[in-house]
Amino acid sequence: RRRHTRLQGDWSSDVCSSDLNMFLDDTPPQLAHEISSPKVFTRDTLFITKDSKITLKSFDYESGSARIEYKIDNATTETYSQSLKLSNDGKHTVAYTGIDKVNNSRTKDFVVVVDNVAPKVYYHFSLEKIGGKAGQAIYPAGTTVYLAATDNSVGTKAIYYKLNNLPEMRYNQTLDRKSTRLNSSHLVIS
């Protein structure tokens, strides 16, 4: 909302007449924030890592933006000067305030979950090993390998694996000699 006032008058017979133009800025700044990758939004929650950059913005088209102040969780309020990174795992609230040049202000906040822990990968063999050679377990023909992964925060998107120095593949079924189309007598999984 903009208000423009013009005052006119002869303030005194001894003082020259003058016009005074005034502009009243009573509108707080507009606020926005951006978060760079890596990030994923799932289950109504934004998950980020310690490498994600948080950029805070304030726009004021009347008197102009003066500064942005922010605080993370219940920490001390700080003046924003560059992109932020959050390193501690868990849920965090970022509250920020845009202040214009005539001290109008607006505050926004948002919540992110920092997840710096990779998923845990598990494997299971359908049959017991029958021996070992050179530090490697030997399993009987017909053994099937099952892979699984869990993640305590964001969840698991996909599992990838490599067999016998072949290119990496996405896991979408159990691994056995038939599903992998390998003719070798043994598999090395990494």
Side-chain angles (χ1 to χ4, degrees):
R1 190 172 80 207
R2 300 181 116 194
R3 281 191 267 172
H4 186 261
T5 305
R6 183 172 183 187
L7 300 175
Q8 293 182 350
D10 181 2
W11 296 334
S12 164
S13 59
D14 295 337
V15 178
C16 63
S17 192
S18 176
D19 290 341
L20 175 64
N21 288 312
M22 289 190 315
F23 175 76
L24 175 64
D25 174 5
D26 61 355
T27 305
Q30 296 296 313
L31 300 177
H33 62 274
E34 294 177 357
I35 301 175
S36 71
S37 292
K39 65 182 176 181
V40 64
F41 189 81
T42 184
R43 301 182 319 265
D44 297 330
T45 304
L46 180 60
F47 293 89
I48 65 173
T49 73
K50 63 181 173 22
D51 298 321
S52 306
K53 290 183 181 179
I54 300 170
T55 304
L56 306 177
K57 298 179 179 182
S58 174
F59 307 97
D60 189 277
Y61 300 105
E62 294 174 352
S63 64
S65 292
R67 68 186 180 282
I68 299 173
E69 295 177 347
Y70 72 95
K71 68 179 180 174
I72 299 167
D73 300 323
N74 291 318
T76 304
T77 299
E78 297 185 41
T79 300
Y80 177 79
S81 61
Q82 63 184 6
S83 296
L84 310 172
K85 289 185 176 183
L86 303 177
S87 57
N88 295 334
D89 279 6
K91 182 178 176 181
H92 299 282
T93 301
V94 178
Y96 63 108
T97 302
I99 303 162
D100 69 14
K101 292 179 180 175
V102 293
N103 287 330
N104 293 316
S105 65
R106 180 185 312 259
T107 300
K108 278 179 83 172
D109 62 31
F110 59 93
V111 174
V112 295
V113 175
V114 178
D115 180 10
N116 294 313
V117 180
K120 292 182 182 176
V121 177
Y122 303 93
Y123 58 89
H124 175 74
F125 295 93
S126 63
L127 300 172
E128 294 293 322
K129 70 179 180 178
I130 57 174
K133 184 175 183 181
Q136 297 220 350
I138 298 175
Y139 291 88
T143 300
T144 300
V145 180
Y146 302 91
L147 301 178
T150 61
D151 187 276
N152 290 334
S153 292
V154 72
T156 303
K157 181 178 178 181
I159 301 172
Y160 292 88
Y161 66 95
K162 288 175 70 171
L163 295 173
N164 296 352
N165 297 320
L166 294 173
E168 188 175 78
M169 295 177 274
R170 185 175 177 156
Y171 178 75
N172 55 15
Q173 64 183 17
T174 58
L175 304 176
D176 56 29
R177 185 176 277 173
K178 183 178 177 183
S179 70
T180 59
R181 297 186 185 111
L182 293 175
N183 294 325
S184 65
S185 61
H186 69 283
L187 302 176
V188 177
I189 301 172
S190 59

